[in-house]
Amino acid sequence: MLIGFDIGNTHIVTGIYTKNAKQLTSFRIATNANLTEDQYFSYLKTLSDFKHIDLKKINSVVISSVVPNLTNIFKFLSIKYFDTKPLVINSKIKLPFTFSNKIESPSAMGADRIVDISEAMFKYPDKNEIIIIDFGTATTFEIVKNNTYLGGCILPGVNMSIDALFSKTSKLPKVRFEKPETVLGRNTIEHINTGIYYGAIGQIKELITQYKAHLDSPYIISTGGVGKIISHEIDEIDEYIETLAVDGLYSLYQYNKKI
Ligand SMILES: Nc1ncnc2c1ncn2[C@@H]1O[C@H](COP(=O)(O)OP(=O)(O)O)[C@@H](O)[C@H]1O
Ligand SMILES: CC(C)(COP(=O)(O)O)[C@@H](O)C(=O)NCCC(=O)O
Ligand SMILES: [K+]
């Protein structure tokens, strides 16, 4: 059995798979760089017990992390509790795509972005042009053409914008990300809601327009926590794949280790 950890700046999404790619379970725990490998293991144990999954059967581990401190913690966890050295995702492992020679430092690229791109390649080998939008703590765009990564961008995640507006002002409340009843806000909360909601949609639509100018007819995939809500509002997005990253962990492990 394989366990995969997608360690983001807000959440750690964990997937447990059998050898023949069946996902036994997946769960989401908060990212906390202060926790130890023993504390994280206690989460895993509780959650897998609930699903009657025997963690002792895990003999393969894969880690995608954009939180360096936790990369080390989960390496310790892998050795201490699963007695195995994990596959740690980075630009140097075997990948189903190449980086354009214009990309200055592939090694600086977030592992989550590498996993997103890889899984899109595995899922859609027949599509020549793919745009991937990951609505994470930050929102990221990846542009791939003929299996070559051309580039992308990074912008503040939706909830980061909400948190920033709340934390940097004295009188503005924190709102949830949701579609307002009207764009003519009738109170402060509706004003914030409308600004955040349509501001986020506008940003994404504009960036899609910019990237489409460099492509013919890209297939546009979205993923990430907030992606579930915002993707419905953006017609240009062809498919929302909630499990892109966690599926990509399994695929990349298999592609590198042949379990
Ligand atoms: N199921 C969900 N529904 C709505 N928002 C979510 C959901 N899961 C996560 N989020 C929010 O989406 C944002 C990004 O989540 P996630 O993609 O897990 O981030 P990261 O990978 O950066 O840790 C966070 O602000 C999180 O609170
Ligand atoms: C852009 C990110 C913060 C997104 O991470 P997330 O929103 O999933 O927490 C992460 O991919 C990252 O730290 N990247 C390193 C810089 C780069 O990708 O160029
Ligand atoms: K992410």
Side-chain angles (χ1 to χ4, degrees):
M1 276 200 323
L2 167 79
I3 191 166
F5 302 107
D6 169 24
I7 302 170
N9 284 288
T10 299
H11 288 154
I12 298 170
V13 180
T14 301
I16 298 179
Y17 295 87
T18 62
K19 276 201 182 310
N20 45 29
K22 181 174 176 298
Q23 189 188 80
L24 294 177
T25 187
S26 170
F27 38 80
R28 183 180 279 272
I29 46 186
T31 298
N32 179 343
N34 301 318
L35 294 184
T36 68
E37 65 278 11
D38 299 329
Q39 286 171 305
Y40 270 114
F41 184 75
S42 64
Y43 277 124
L44 300 180
K45 185 77 178 66
T46 309
L47 290 160
S48 42
D49 283 354
F50 182 70
K51 298 268 183 158
H52 310 297
I53 292 169
D54 180 3
L55 290 180
K56 289 189 176 57
K57 289 188 180 150
I58 287 173
N59 53 14
S60 312
V61 180
V62 55
I63 298 168
S64 161
S65 173
V66 292
V67 184
N69 179 43
L70 287 182
T71 311
N72 293 325
I73 291 289
F74 276 76
K75 280 182 188 169
F76 292 144
L77 184 149
S78 174
I79 292 160
K80 183 171 184 177
Y81 288 102
F82 300 120
D83 190 26
T84 181
K85 201 166 170 301
L87 170 71
V88 179
I89 305 294
N90 58 46
S91 61
K92 297 180 180 58
I93 66 170
K94 190 177 161 208
L95 297 172
F97 69 93
T98 54
F99 291 90
S100 149
N101 54 23
K102 293 198 172 57
I103 300 298
E104 287 170 9
S105 51
S107 59
M109 195 151 174
D112 57 336
R113 303 177 74 185
I114 290 173
V115 173
D116 282 348
I117 299 163
S118 300
E119 185 58 14
M121 298 295 100
F122 291 129
K123 270 191 194 311
Y124 295 111
D126 55 333
K127 294 193 185 299
N128 294 333
E129 296 177 328
I130 299 184
I131 295 177
I132 304 148
I133 310 169
D134 190 333
F135 294 95
T137 308
T139 297
T140 50
F141 275 71
E142 319 304 345
I143 313 305
V144 190
K145 181 168 185 153
N146 300 328
N147 277 51
T148 303
Y149 176 68
L150 300 183
C153 71
I154 300 170
L155 57 155
V158 171
N159 285 341
M160 191 184 290
S161 304
I162 292 173
D163 292 348
L165 196 55
F166 169 67
S167 61
K168 296 289 182 194
T169 59
S170 308
K171 294 177 71 180
L172 299 188
K174 191 168 178 176
V175 302
R176 262 196 321 280
F177 182 72
E178 58 190 8
K179 185 171 184 173
E181 271 175 50
T182 164
V183 292
L184 297 169
R186 297 157 295 197
N187 55 54
T188 303
I189 287 187
E190 287 188 354
H191 286 189
I192 300 170
N193 195 262
T194 301
I196 292 283
Y197 193 82
Y198 288 105
I201 288 169
Q203 284 179 354
I204 303 306
K205 282 178 173 285
E206 174 58 25
L207 283 163
I208 289 174
T209 302
Q210 291 293 329
Y211 287 123
K212 275 187 164 178
H214 292 263
L215 303 165
D216 299 321
S217 58
Y219 188 69
I220 303 180
I221 297 169
S222 68
T223 188
V226 182
K228 206 180 296 188
I229 309 165
I230 198 169
S231 299
H232 299 310
E233 280 293 321
I234 301 173
D235 299 342
E236 295 89 334
I237 293 178
D238 295 302
E239 184 180 5
Y240 171 69
I241 307 177
E242 181 166 12
T243 59
L244 190 71
V246 75
D247 291 346
L249 288 174
Y250 176 85
S251 306
L252 268 176
Y253 187 87
Q254 205 181 28
Y255 194 63
N256 278 268
K257 298 268 182 181
K258 287 275 170 260
I259 50 180

